[in-house]
Amino acid sequence: MEIATEKRESELAYLVGSLGQDGYAVIDNGSRSIELVSKEGRAPRFLVFNLGYRLAYEQFFADAEDPEAAARAFRDRLRQEVLKAPFMKGKKKLVGVEFGEMADVLFAPAELEGRIFTLEALKQKLHEITTSRANEFQVLKKKTDIDRALPRLVVAAFLTEELGYSRLELTERELGSGLIIEAGLKQP
């Protein structure tokens, strides 16, 4: 068994999101950490920080009464991190890895692979939640997998806007797929 370093996990996230093509910006929003990774040429540039959906939900949303204050506090924390990742701006495409629960729980059903969320749609959904009444927010927090979906919505909306993109494309591929893609790319 191999325990992946931050660099290795970021490389795999990039492979999953880009299928090995240069010029993409990839967000991998896992349970413990978020990887931001892009690549132009040989070496990927990456930033890993511990604000994955599980940590973010517990820290910002689990006990929150006010959805707007909770989302604002989470965005403020994300802002501190994204300032360290200027390499994510101006790429061909912004791709989201591990955003399936966000799509399934908070939006109408649709095929996940290649699904596009416009910045406007992400912000509108977040606005609906953050302007809801306290009792509505409490009901939402009882929804299955909301702990996985809500933090990812904040990440998707905030990072898409902050990094200067108008849309986020999702992939259903996850890190295990990265190992398969990597092996396939090495074949003669």
Side-chain angles (χ1 to χ4, degrees), residues 47-162:
L47 173 68
V48 178
F49 52 96
N50 293 325
L51 274 178
Y53 70 80
R54 211 175 288 278
L55 297 174
Y57 188 81
E58 288 303 315
Q59 185 174 351
F60 299 101
F61 299 102
D63 297 325
E65 298 289 328
D66 179 356
E68 175 56 37
R72 185 175 47 252
F74 187 27
R75 284 191 307 261
D76 289 346
R77 181 67 179 84
L78 287 167
R79 185 173 286 111
Q80 294 171 22
E81 297 298 337
V82 79
L83 290 173
K84 302 172 195 171
F87 55 85
M88 292 289 289
K89 295 182 177 187
K91 303 301 178 203
K92 291 183 226 179
K93 187 185 290 189
L94 181 64
V95 178
V97 175
E98 294 194 44
F99 282 85
E101 284 99 352
M102 177 199 77
D104 292 343
V105 172
L106 298 173
F107 293 91
E111 182 70 30
L112 183 62
E113 184 62 38
R115 187 170 183 182
I116 305 283
F117 283 101
T118 65
L119 175 58
E120 182 180 318
L122 293 166
K123 288 172 66 175
Q124 176 60 37
K125 179 55 74 175
L126 186 56
H127 178 75
E128 289 172 17
I129 293 169
T130 58
T131 58
S132 65
R133 295 185 189 123
N135 64 328
E136 294 169 332
F137 186 53
Q138 295 310 316
V139 168
L140 177 70
K141 289 195 311 181
K142 292 178 182 169
K143 193 170 186 175
T144 301
D145 290 332
I146 196 65
D147 60 324
R148 297 167 178 257
L150 182 55
R152 285 174 166 147
L153 174 62
V154 175
V155 167
F158 177 76
L159 291 182
T160 300
E161 183 170 37
E162 193 70 18

